Amino acid sequence: TLKLGVLGSGSGSNMQAIMDAIDAGTLNAEIVLVLSDNEDAYILERARKAGLRAEVIDCGGFKTKFPDDKQAEVARRLKEAGVELVCLAGFMRLVKQPMLDAYPERILNIHPSLLPNYPGLMAWKQAVEDGAAESGCTVHYVDAGMDTGPIIEQAKVPVLADDTAETLHARIQVEEHRLYPEVISQFVGK
Ligand code: GAR
């Protein structure tokens, strides 16, 4: 049983998809720790309702910065909880060396575009505004860049003529919820 740590800043629907796959028996894993940099994020409530251990990362008042000492502390907390694979699921801060060194090739991210297209924030909105014909999602290894790490798998969705940022994001999320648990399952036993 692969021990997962999940980091998120938002609603946690991707974490929910991971939980559902575990419950369904298609993913032989266990979420042992959920961390959020936003104490009001629904991901924490969602996790606690499901009886998971869920805690806050205090970034010391910084809005987007994730200071090195905090990253080292998070790495320590993940290790102490026995986390083997770290899954970023809507986590909005850049992970850097203290965490990357603690979990080499063991930190994954899901991003709502076909990388290398549209890295960064609100990738679904970027795709609509750019007039892209298709978009999708990418699961990749995290490296020190922003959404630049080696790609593991992608799923495509069409962009429709009447799409808004929201309707496209909803279509992408359906694929995210399928793809992320499937890619995580590839790490079981490795
Ligand atoms: C997801 O669409 C994820 O791909 C995206 O945030 C959303 C989180 O949703 N991540 C990024 O944009 C990372 N740069 P969730 O909290 O419901 O899983």
Side-chain angles (χ1 to χ4, degrees), residues 98-162:
M99 287 186 60
L100 298 171
D101 289 346
Y103 284 97
E105 284 176 51
R106 284 294 179 278
I107 307 180
L108 307 184
N109 182 42
I110 182 134
H111 183 80
S113 76
L114 298 174
L115 290 172
N117 294 336
Y118 314 126
L121 296 178
M122 294 200 281
W124 56 85
K125 189 159 172 267
Q126 297 183 49
V128 168
E129 286 173 358
D130 196 35
E134 63 176 13
S135 190
C137 56
T138 302
V139 179
H140 65 95
Y141 290 105
V142 173
D143 68 8
M146 187 175 66
D147 306 321
T148 52
I151 291 169
I152 303 172
E153 272 192 46
Q154 297 184 309
K156 289 181 184 175
V157 304
V159 181
L160 306 180
D162 59 354

Side-chain angles (χ1 to χ4, degrees), residues 8-16 43 46 89-92 109-113 119-124 137-138 146-147 169 172-173 176-177:
S9 308
S11 92
S13 73
N14 277 288
M15 180 190 70
Q16 184 68 55
I43 192 170
R46 206 193 271 274
F91 187 65
M92 292 304 173
N109 182 42
I110 182 134
H111 183 80
S113 76
L121 296 178
M122 294 200 281
W124 56 85
C137 56
T138 302
M146 187 175 66
D147 306 321
H169 190 208
I172 290 171
Q173 285 222 292
E176 290 188 331
H177 297 161

Side-chain angles (χ1 to χ4, degrees), residues 2-5 83-87 103 106-108 184 187:
L2 181 65
K3 290 189 171 158
L4 306 177
V83 168
E84 297 165 299
L85 184 73
V86 180
C87 302
Y103 284 97
R106 284 294 179 278
I107 307 180
L108 307 184
I184 292 166
F187 287 80

Side-chain angles (χ1 to χ4, degrees), residues 6-26:
V6 178
L7 271 63
S9 308
S11 92
S13 73
N14 277 288
M15 180 190 70
Q16 184 68 55
I18 296 166
M19 287 161 47
D20 291 348
I22 291 170
D23 287 346
T26 56

